[in-house]
């Protein structure tokens, strides 16, 4: 599913690209059959290039699956299972393989969900971007306790409103998340191998901007009488976020130092996981403003981030093993350099898991 953000703001909505099917002309996402020679997400990336003419970072972890009936040339209508992989688009080509057979167009998420026919795909599109506020509990037996918690939280908000407003921590969290997303996009472009110096410089600049935000938060938290969360939780969260961008800078610095211009497919897969992790984090941070109402969704997002870290570990090990088998004995210096890059990428994903754990801790303590 090709997607892009419509602007730099933390709450800027996403839009997705749909293409028309060749047979009926209905709106669909680019898709095709699995391949013996390609992983599932690589096959999906190929289909996006051929059918929609888009390039970018495709996450190896699917965001969902759905089933529909596909009409075959024989006339048979068979059940088909589809795994959907998010593709953060970095380039849309003017000419592509099926340009004369399909129409492509960007739609906002509600429009796209309305246009597609498959109910399962509709559900994926409806939950892809930032969701609406949900209730903490849908269990009728717990409604009394939830009501008490809500009343207590309202009193807390009322008391907080009487105090001088010195700082908006939520705004700082969300701005930092925007820089994380921009750094992740630059890292993915860097690992595509074109104009690496430019992308490395952008990552360094984003890291400097994020450092300033982190310093502001750490200084202000000591001066603020009443904070939305425990002071230790605020400093731990912003520090974990900053560590993720710091690690991206270290990755880019290593690539620049060793003048690496070509990258292994597993490295690009890990970069794509980082891009999607930053997207999920960009959805999670604004939900902290009403943590009691959004506890369920926050837990879903952090759980997915943890699963993505596990997947990244598997990709790291698989890529490193293949690299050692291919060049470990014949090109030891190259092996050591690329092993270092793998290590940096793994640490970036680890830092996103740290952020997820900090958010989950806030949910446990406050919701």
């Amino acid at each position: 599913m090709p997607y892009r953000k419509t602007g730099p703001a933390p709450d800027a909505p996403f839009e997705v690209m749909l293409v028309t099917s060749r047979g009926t002309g209905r709106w669909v996402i680019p898709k095709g059959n699995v391949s013996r020679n390609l992983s599932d997400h690589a096959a999906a990336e190929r289909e996006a290039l051929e059918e929609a003419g888009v390039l970018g970072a495709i996450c190896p972890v699917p965001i969902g699956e759905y089933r529909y009936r596909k009409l075959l040339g024989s006339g048979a209508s068979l059940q088909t299972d589809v795994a959907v992989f998010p593709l953060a688009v970095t380039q849309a080509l003017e000419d592509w393989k099926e340009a004369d057979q399909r129409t492509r167009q960007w739609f906002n998420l509600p429009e796209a969900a309305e246009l597609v026919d498959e109910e399962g795909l509709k559900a994926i599109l409806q939950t892809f971007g930032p969701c609406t506020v949900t209730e903490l509990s849908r269990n009728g037996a717990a409604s009394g306790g939830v009501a008490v918690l809500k009343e207590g939280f309202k009193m807390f908000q009322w008391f907080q409103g009487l105090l001088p407003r010195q700082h908006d921590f939520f705004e700082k969290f969300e701005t930092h998340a925007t820089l994380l997303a921009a750094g992740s996009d630059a890292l993915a472009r860097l690992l595509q191998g074109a104009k690496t110096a430019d992308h490395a410089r952008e990552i360094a600049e984003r890291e400097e901007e994020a450092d300033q935000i982190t310093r502001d938060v750490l200084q202000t938290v000591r001066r603020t009488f009443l904070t939305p969360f425990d002071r230790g939780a605020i400093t731990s969260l912003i520090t974990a976020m900053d560590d993720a961008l710091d690690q991206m800078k270290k990755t880019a610095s290593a690539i620049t130092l060793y003048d690496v211009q070509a990258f292994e497919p597993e490295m690009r897969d890990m970069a794509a996981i980082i891009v999607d992790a930053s997207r999920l984090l960009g959805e999670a941070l604004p939900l902290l403003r009403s943590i009691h109402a959004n506890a369920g969704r926050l837990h879903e997002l952090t759980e997915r981030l943890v699963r993505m870290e596990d997947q990244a570990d598997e990709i790291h090990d698989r890529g490193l093993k293949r690299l050692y088998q291919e060049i470990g004995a014949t090109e030891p210096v190259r092996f050591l350099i690329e092993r270092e890059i793998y290590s940096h990428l793994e640490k970036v994903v680890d830092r996103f898991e740290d952020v997820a754990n900090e958010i989950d801790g806030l949910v446990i303590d406050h919701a």
Side-chain angles (χ1 to χ4, degrees):
M1 184 170 69
Y3 75 93
R4 67 184 182 185
K5 211 171 184 182
T6 57
D11 58 348
F14 290 106
E15 57 185 6
V16 298
M17 178 180 284
L18 301 180
V19 298
T20 53
S21 64
R22 287 185 294 190
T24 61
R26 61 191 180 91
W27 290 106
V28 297
I29 59 173
K31 61 182 183 294
N33 296 323
V34 296
S35 171
R36 292 182 179 180
N37 302 320
L38 295 174
S39 61
D40 290 350
H41 71 282
E45 183 179 30
R46 179 192 62 191
E47 295 298 331
L49 177 59
E50 293 180 355
E51 296 186 7
V54 291
L55 299 169
I58 188 162
C59 181
V61 184
I63 56 174
E65 298 180 354
Y66 69 94
R67 173 175 290 185
Y68 79 108
R69 286 198 172 273
K70 182 177 182 179
L71 182 62
L72 305 181
S74 63
S77 179
L78 302 181
Q79 291 275 18
T80 302
D81 293 315
V82 181
V84 180
F85 297 90
L87 172 68
V89 174
T90 57
Q91 184 181 5
L93 304 178
E94 294 296 327
D95 187 34
W96 67 98
K97 184 176 181 180
E98 298 183 12
D100 59 342
Q101 303 172 45
R102 302 178 187 271
T103 299
R104 69 180 184 186
Q105 188 171 331
W106 290 102
F107 296 98
N108 62 45
L109 292 171
E111 290 174 339
E114 183 69 25
L115 287 170
V116 299
D117 291 338
E118 298 85 357
E119 292 300 321
L121 181 55
K122 285 180 185 287
I124 292 173
L125 288 166
Q126 289 167 348
T127 58
F128 181 70
C131 64
T132 56
V133 173
T134 56
E135 292 299 323
L136 170 64
S137 174
R138 297 177 182 175
N139 188 337
S143 59
V146 172
V148 172
L149 288 173
K150 286 184 177 179
E151 287 304 315
F153 191 78
K154 288 178 181 177
M155 289 296 294
F156 173 80
Q157 289 181 314
W158 173 81
F159 178 63
Q160 188 179 31
L162 297 177
L163 299 172
R165 184 177 178 181
Q166 299 186 35
H167 198 75
D168 188 344
F169 291 102
F170 297 114
E171 181 181 354
K172 293 298 183 183
F173 291 151
E174 292 159 21
T175 303
H176 200 297
T178 302
L179 295 172
L180 264 176
S184 300
D185 291 342
L187 183 63
R189 293 193 300 271
L190 174 61
L191 267 70
Q192 289 173 358
K195 298 183 178 180
T196 54
D198 291 346
H199 303 313
R201 180 177 177 181
E202 179 181 354
I203 293 170
E205 291 175 352
R206 301 293 188 180
E207 190 269 341
E208 290 177 4
E209 294 177 65
D211 277 349
Q212 183 58 54
I213 293 174
T214 301
R215 284 192 292 271
D216 289 346
V217 171
L218 296 179
Q219 291 171 4
T220 308
V221 75
R222 295 193 295 269
R223 301 195 303 264
T224 304
F225 176 72
L226 188 62
T227 57
F229 307 122
D230 178 79
R231 285 173 170 76
I234 291 174
T235 57
S236 294
L237 176 57
I238 196 68
T239 301
M241 294 172 63
D242 202 53
D243 287 346
L245 203 39
D246 286 345
Q247 194 59 53
M248 290 184 206
K249 181 181 178 181
K250 291 177 182 178
T251 307
S253 296
I255 290 170
T256 304
L257 174 65
Y258 299 123
D259 195 25
V260 181
Q261 300 292 328
F263 302 92
E264 302 297 324
E266 291 86 358
M267 294 179 182
R268 293 194 295 271
D269 287 348
M270 294 179 73
I273 286 179
I274 292 166
V275 169
D276 205 45
S278 69
R279 176 184 67 82
L280 295 176
L281 188 60
E283 177 180 350
L285 268 298
L287 299 182
L288 293 178
R289 292 176 180 267
S290 298
I291 193 169
H292 65 297
N294 297 312
R297 181 56 176 168
L298 282 165
H299 181 68
E300 291 174 5
L301 293 170
T302 55
E303 187 177 44
R304 177 170 168 79
L305 284 165
V306 172
R307 291 201 306 269
M308 291 168 68
E309 192 275 336
D310 292 339
Q311 183 73 20
D313 283 345
E314 294 178 8
I315 294 171
H316 167 273
D317 294 347
R318 185 169 63 247
L320 198 58
K321 180 178 180 179
R322 183 182 63 80
L323 187 68
Y324 178 76
Q325 291 173 339
E326 291 180 356
I327 67 169
T330 57
E331 300 180 70
V333 173
R334 179 187 162 194
F335 172 77
L336 292 174
I337 291 172
E338 299 203 9
R339 185 180 67 176
E340 181 175 343
I341 295 173
Y342 269 120
S343 177
H344 283 301
L345 289 168
E346 183 184 32
K347 290 176 182 176
V348 175
V349 184
D350 288 345
R351 299 294 81 77
F352 274 100
E353 184 186 25
D354 292 343
V355 178
N357 291 335
E358 293 294 337
I359 294 174
D360 221 25
L362 288 173
V363 173
I364 293 171
D365 291 342
H366 296 271

